[in-house]
Amino acid sequence: MAVIDNLHQKSAAGGQAPAGSSTGQPNIDTQQSNMVEGSWRLQIIIALVVLLAGLLVLRLLSMQLITWSEYSAASAVDTRFTVDDTTPWGVIVDRDGVLLAGDRFTYRITATPKHIPREDWESLSQRLAQVAGIPADQVWNRLAANPDGAYVVLASDIPFELGRALLAAKKLDEDNADENQDLSLLPLGNVFASAQPRRFYPQAGLASQVLGFLNAERKPVLGLERYYSSFLPSSGVGLPKGTLSPRTLLTEQQRKFLPTGSEKGLVLTIDRTVQWIIEEELRDGVEFYGAESGSVIVMNPKTGAILGMANYPSFDANYYESGDPDSFTNATVSAQYEPGSIFKVITFSSAVDAGLVESGTIFTDTGTIVIGERTIQNSGRNAMGQLAVADALAQSNNVVTVQIAEALGTEKFYEYVARFGFGADTNIDLAGEVAGLVKKPGGTTWSLSDLGTNSFGQGLAVTPIQMISAVAAIANEGKRMRPYVVEARVDGDSVLFTQPTMAQQVISPEAAEEMKQMMMHVIETGNQAARVPGYLAGGKSGTADIATAEGYVLDRTIASFVGFAPLDDPQFVILVKLDKPDPKISRWASNSAGPTFSRISKRLLDHLNVPPDDVRLAQNQ
């Protein structure tokens, strides 16, 4: 630019640029020529770069499209059969050694189509149909879908004996072949059989949501399979050192299906007979009362061991592909709901433990009570006058319950709610547990009226496992135990037993005993349909409206009952939950969940060989 500007200045002054300059400046025509030539070179270079880049992009696109097309054509036949993990998984047995889950082997039949002449397809198809039971048209279609392929799956999950028969037929062909014959040219020379483990659940749908399952890729889905997925595979982690026991401490019955060597196994606390009983009674209850679904849990209150855990509807994990995915979830640990009046035992227990009330303490029910900005009534919209605490619980009185919560005060009430385990995981060894929902004082969504509604189980959410664990504390001298499903983990000759663990001393033994008597009074005078013939039992029903974003659904409820038996020495705690029973039959838990509790309790006491009270107590005197 300095040269051009200088020439412009001389021209304006009337001067003329010499042909050669003593300053060494080039002739302008030569410079312009060089600039034009350089510009064309640059443009040509840029054009070549763009062209090459374009060709490269087109090539990449072509490669991707062709590859994807080939993959898609092959995947239509092969994909679900080729992605798998053949790592063996440990067995799962119940407390008595009954096999609940294990691996069994089937065969996968594959071929190399590009080495099989088309004119041999028909004979090969017929041979495989005869020897291995594979439909001839299936073999033909899969060869035709990928005739030039190096690998195609002709069939999966061929029964073990048919797979072995195919291998025997192939071996016979090879033995009869000429010494110098190319074995790959034999009729079965390009057909291969490989053993594949497939998860098997011999009890069909029993405890399916507790167990979970392995899918087609042998990936764990929910339940114990998911929770113990780092332990169960043979390649998984072992047992921690220092707390192990010898395998011989397991009963002979428990060891029956547990493999030796380096293989793994789980011994559950689940009792197959208990599980079968509760699944049958739950199914009958849901159908008889017209409910949409339901759950039952049976727990040993002294240890926290789960003896049975059921949901309905359920599914058969052997055929999970045809099951309803909504039925896969274990609602006992994953579904939160408003518990309704069964939560009153928490409020009453807290007040008894705090020394504020006794079973005979008198309250006055005027039919309504105002707390915060909310007016609360009894479910029957009635006033019952003076009531002892035990009678208020038996009659499921809302107004007296709110008065008891007010006597406790906000801080104490929510302190006990937390001690009983609400608003936090129970740490049960199952996948998918949720913590429920408890609004805390001081939060933006909490108001004083919540103290009132929470006291009788409205405006907070719990899970069935939380609810039964809390009531089990009352049956266990005030000790809340951590619930668990696995009694022992087995790794070869070593065993790690689960030690019962107290989560918290929630209330005193004296308060727990008084609450047991009050819950017996509930069944004897308030929920008589829940009586257990031959035994005293304690319990409480709850009929909860269903909360939605638009408000409460008034025509359908959640009916639940939680209780224990026998009263003097509880062998189990049972929670029954029926979702949306038909109001034309009964919307009230005392008429649906209560009788279901009674039927289950009687059958369990018979199964556990617990004599009736008059026999047992007489023997103990």
Side-chain angles (χ1 to χ4, degrees):
M1 288 298 295
V3 172
I4 296 174
D5 289 343
N6 189 32
L7 292 173
H8 285 174
Q9 290 171 3
K10 290 183 177 180
S11 176
Q16 186 175 0
S21 172
S22 62
T23 60
Q25 292 174 336
N27 181 279
I28 189 168
D29 291 333
T30 303
Q31 182 182 11
Q32 289 178 339
S33 176
N34 292 338
M35 290 177 63
V36 170
E37 184 179 351
S39 175
W40 275 106
R41 288 177 179 172
L42 180 61
Q43 292 180 26
I44 291 172
I45 292 172
I46 292 174
L48 288 173
V49 171
V50 171
L51 179 61
L52 289 173
L55 290 173
L56 181 60
V57 170
L58 287 174
R59 177 57 179 162
L60 289 172
L61 286 172
S62 175
M63 290 174 64
Q64 289 175 344
L65 289 172
I66 292 171
T67 302
W68 175 251
S69 176
E70 292 175 349
Y71 171 77
S72 297
S75 67
V77 177
D78 297 341
T79 301
R80 73 178 296 268
F81 303 101
T82 58
V83 180
D84 67 340
D85 180 357
T86 58
T87 303
W89 277 56
V91 302
I92 302 177
V93 301
D94 86 334
R95 61 188 281 182
D96 295 320
V98 176
L99 184 64
L100 300 178
D103 281 348
R104 66 176 180 180
F105 284 86
T106 59
Y107 274 87
R108 171 175 297 162
I109 312 303
T110 63
T112 307
K114 67 181 183 180
H115 293 154
I116 303 174
R118 190 180 185 89
E119 59 268 22
D120 293 343
W121 289 3
E122 178 63 28
S123 60
L124 178 61
S125 298
Q126 295 300 328
R127 181 82 181 276
L128 290 177
Q130 179 185 11
V131 175
I134 307 172
D137 58 345
Q138 176 176 311
V139 174
W140 176 281
N141 291 336
R142 292 191 177 180
L143 290 172
N146 194 9
D148 298 320
Y151 177 87
V152 67
V153 175
L154 301 179
S156 282
D157 295 334
I158 295 299
F160 187 79
E161 60 276 10
L162 291 179
R164 299 294 296 176
L166 176 58
L167 289 174
K170 184 171 181 175
K171 181 68 165 55
L172 183 62
D173 286 354
E174 294 173 352
D175 291 343
N176 292 333
D178 294 338
E179 183 176 349
N180 297 322
Q181 185 173 356
D182 186 349
L183 298 181
S184 68
L185 299 178
L186 295 174
L188 297 176
N190 289 288
V191 175
F192 311 95
S194 58
Q196 306 289 322
R198 179 177 174 84
R199 203 63 166 164
F200 176 53
Y201 302 91
Q203 307 300 320
L206 193 80
S208 57
Q209 289 108 339
V210 175
L211 295 172
F213 60 91
L214 298 188
N215 64 15
E217 290 76 34
R218 290 180 65 80
K219 302 301 182 185
V221 180
L222 301 173
L224 289 166
E225 301 276 34
R226 176 69 177 273
Y227 190 89
Y228 285 98
S229 60
S230 63
F231 170 74
L232 280 170
S234 60
S235 59
V237 299
L239 297 174
K241 305 297 183 183
T243 57
L244 304 182
S245 301
R247 179 190 178 93
T248 52
L249 289 186
L250 295 170
T251 67
E252 183 178 351
Q253 204 171 3
Q254 288 174 327
R255 297 196 303 267
K256 181 178 180 180
F257 288 103
L258 291 173
T260 57
S262 61
E263 299 302 318
K264 311 287 187 62
L266 297 177
V267 180
L268 305 188
T269 60
I270 299 288
D271 180 318
R272 182 185 60 166
T273 302
V274 171
Q275 186 71 24
W276 188 85
I277 289 171
I278 66 175
E279 288 192 11
E280 181 179 61
E281 291 292 348
L282 176 61
R283 182 192 67 237
D284 292 348
V286 167
E287 293 176 355
F288 183 80
Y289 297 109
E292 288 187 1
S293 56
S295 301
V296 172
I297 307 175
V298 181
M299 175 189 284
N300 181 335
K302 299 180 180 69
T303 64
I306 301 298
L307 304 181
M309 178 177 276
N311 301 280
Y312 185 84
S314 187
F315 70 100
D316 185 341
N318 294 302
Y319 308 102
Y320 70 88
E321 299 97 330
S322 59
D324 181 359
D326 290 340
S327 69
F328 296 169
T329 302
N330 186 351
T332 63
V333 300
S334 299
Q336 56 186 21
Y337 68 106
E338 293 196 2
S341 292
I342 57 174
F343 202 81
K344 287 172 180 170
V345 299
I346 306 303
T347 302
F348 280 59
S349 297
S350 303
V352 170
D353 185 67
L356 298 172
V357 300
E358 297 177 347
S359 59
T361 304
I362 301 298
F363 284 85
T364 301
D365 168 26
T366 61
T368 63
I369 186 171
V370 178
I371 181 168
E373 299 179 353
R374 182 163 183 172
T375 299
I376 292 172
Q377 298 175 299
N378 295 316
S379 58
R381 304 297 187 266
N382 59 335
M384 304 186 71
Q386 289 192 325
L387 278 176
V389 165
D391 292 326
L393 184 62
Q395 299 302 317
S396 201
N397 189 284
N398 289 345
V399 173
V400 171
T401 303
V402 174
Q403 292 180 61
I404 291 175
E406 286 184 313
L408 266 170
T410 299
E411 184 177 346
K412 274 286 186 188
F413 175 80
Y414 288 102
E415 178 186 324
Y416 275 104
V417 167
R419 288 168 64 175
F420 272 105
F422 298 104
D425 291 346
T426 65
N427 292 318
I428 188 171
D429 49 343
L430 287 171
E433 182 180 14
V434 299
L437 180 63
V438 178
K439 292 187 286 188
K440 300 295 178 64
T444 56
T445 60
W446 186 89
S447 66
L448 184 59
S449 61
D450 288 316
L451 174 63
T453 57
N454 290 174
S455 71
F456 55 85
Q458 193 177 83
L460 49 73
V462 307
T463 61
I465 190 64
Q466 285 177 332
M467 197 70 237
I468 194 172
S469 296
V471 174
I474 297 171
N476 186 40
E477 300 181 333
K479 302 181 184 73
R480 177 168 63 86
M481 307 299 290
R482 182 186 71 82
Y484 62 100
V485 180
V486 172
E487 178 183 332
R489 284 176 278 171
V490 182
D491 185 359
D493 293 327
S494 298
V495 179
L496 178 63
F497 288 97
T498 301
Q499 300 302 318
T501 304
M502 184 178 75
Q504 191 161 10
Q505 180 78 45
V506 181
I507 57 177
S508 69
E510 294 75 20
E513 181 59 35
E514 186 162 3
M515 278 304 302
K516 284 172 59 179
Q517 297 299 320
M518 289 170 62
M519 293 175 73
M520 179 268 289
H521 184 64
V522 169
I523 289 182
E524 292 300 308
T525 66
N527 287 176
Q528 295 180 1
R531 284 178 172 174
V532 182
Y535 304 85
L536 286 177
K540 180 72 182 76
S541 64
T543 304
D545 292 330
I546 299 173
T548 68
E550 292 75 30
Y552 285 93
V553 178
L554 299 180
D555 60 335
R556 287 296 179 100
T557 59
I558 294 177
S560 56
F561 191 97
V562 62
F564 42 82
L567 185 73
D568 64 297
D569 184 20
Q571 298 299 300
F572 52 75
V573 183
I574 300 173
L575 181 138
V576 178
K577 175 174 169 279
L578 300 176
D579 303 316
K580 301 181 181 179
D582 188 345
K584 296 177 182 177
I585 300 174
S586 179
R587 70 189 298 269
W588 300 105
S590 56
N591 297 326
S592 57
T596 304
F597 164 83
S598 174
R599 290 191 296 270
I600 293 174
S601 295
K602 185 63 173 70
R603 294 181 68 179
L604 294 189
L605 289 164
D606 289 344
H607 167 62
L608 298 174
N609 293 316
V610 180
D613 285 352
D614 56 352
V615 175
R616 180 171 45 82
L617 296 178
Q619 291 174 343
N620 294 336
Q621 289 179 352

